Amino acid sequence: MSYPGYPPTGYPPFPGYPPAGQESSFPPPGQYPYPSGFPPMGGGAYPPAPSSGYPGAGGYPAPGGYPAPGGYPGAPQPGGAPSYPGVLPGQGFGAPPGGAGFSGYPQPPSQSYGGGPAQVPVPGGFPGGPSQYPGGQTPYPSQPAAVTQGTIRPAANFDAMRDAEILRKAMKGFGTDEQAIIDVVANRSNDQRQNIKAAFKTMYGKDLIKDLKSELSGNMEELILALFMPSTYYDAWSLRNAMKGAGTQERVLIEILCTRTNQEIREIVRCYQSEFGRDLEKDIRSDTSGHFERLLVSMCQGNRDENQNVNPQLAQEDAQRLYQAGEGRLGTDESCFNMILATRSFPQLKATIEAYSRMANRDLLSSVGREFSGNVESGLKTILQCALNRPAFFAERLYYSMKGAGTDDSTLVRIVVTRSEIDLVQIKQMFSQMYQKTLGTMIASDTSGDYRRLLLAIVGQ
């Protein structure tokens, strides 16, 4: 299968790299290799996600006639909420005192899916919000309908040979002109960078990536090499790196497989096979287990419904199914959650979240937190968070990659690079909204040198 914009044989090889003497190192010679140990194993895992259990939407009457009284054992009756210890009559789980709005937190415009408007809160524990909610948690913002936009766009009047010459001069002689390199790579699309790479080899008979690697080191090298990888290859490489060697970086698997489109996932699967000679599903099966394994195997099929039209009746039926599979019974029917969350479109899942909130007087994300744990909980929540607000999900991941002591640079680089041409503008907006500081400000305080300058140039700071 040929990838658009790339030679029919797949991704161009990087001749002469890895260095001589390491030909036996992974990946096999002649394919599109990458420096071993990048990023360091174990360095790409996310810190623990914030706990769930955010304020539920209280007081929404159930849609008329659904569910029928007595029709579902254990289901809440229309217009009412199930009784839970410590919850006042008429007040939803975790509802703010007096039914007040979520003060101090920007609310999106309400959206209707045939069942009346509903503001759907989801977890996050975002700083800066009101403190009266249980555990200091505040609602997860819902994404307004908007066209997504990247911070990097293809450069006008692009000349690959001119850019190749600029990069050659920046690396020639004593020292390296890092600013010249930054000015080029931060202002060219991924497709344009591939053209620069090809022009460099044509003009100088040398491999651009090998030259860049010899001039750079550390996080700056990691960021530059990620920018020059074709985007599908970078996702495939990240998945391979997360599973090779001792241990598995489950957060990387979740971040990629639970957020990409069907087409992106199918291309990743093909690239994984062609570049690494391995079957992605088999590697997932050998590195994960149980319900988490099943969820990831479902994700790597790339068969989610992508019809953007919402079926309100199906949303109500799915909400009832999920309630009966979790809160409405002893134990959990995990396959029901897997089936609905792996097959429904993201707009349909958003409608289901809203229907669940109205029906059960509590939110679906906190229910998932009570019914599941560990990696499968993180995976299911990631899917639901992306249904509600994909940019907010990535904003949260970026925040926790830099929060506290040390920085998870692999996660920071991966998200900034992979979203730079898709929705990094919206991610920046959500970051400011959720954390009362800009993404650029936090990057500037957590990084340094040329690495910081290039990151800030990419995010448009």
Side-chain angles (χ1 to χ4, degrees), residues 42-50 235 238 242 248-260 375 378-379 382 385-386 390 392-403 407-416 418-419:
Y46 287 107
D235 275 347
S238 297
T248 302
Q249 298 173 32
E250 289 88 356
R251 283 286 185 180
V252 179
L253 305 182
I254 292 169
E255 177 200 307
I256 294 174
L257 292 173
C258 293
T259 66
R260 303 303 194 247
N375 294 316
S378 298
T382 295
Q385 287 170 322
C386 284
R390 193 183 309 260
F393 165 78
F394 286 111
E396 182 183 56
R397 291 291 176 265
L398 285 170
Y399 178 79
Y400 283 100
S401 75
M402 294 180 280
K403 184 177 183 290
T407 302
D408 180 357
D409 291 290
S410 295
T411 295
L412 175 59
V413 166
R414 189 175 56 253
I415 295 178
V416 166
T418 57
R419 310 312 293 184

Side-chain angles (χ1 to χ4, degrees), residues 206-262:
K206 299 184 68 177
D207 186 82
L208 174 59
I209 303 306
K210 189 176 179 183
D211 277 12
L212 286 168
K213 184 171 167 49
S214 69
E215 298 287 335
L216 306 169
S217 62
N219 293 323
M220 179 65 168
E221 175 189 347
E222 177 175 344
L223 178 54
I224 286 279
L225 295 177
L227 285 165
F228 272 101
M229 283 186 177
S231 54
T232 300
Y233 178 86
Y234 186 34
D235 275 347
W237 179 87
S238 297
L239 291 172
R240 179 66 193 126
N241 192 70
M243 290 185 282
K244 75 175 182 179
T248 302
Q249 298 173 32
E250 289 88 356
R251 283 286 185 180
V252 179
L253 305 182
I254 292 169
E255 177 200 307
I256 294 174
L257 292 173
C258 293
T259 66
R260 303 303 194 247
T261 67
N262 286 347

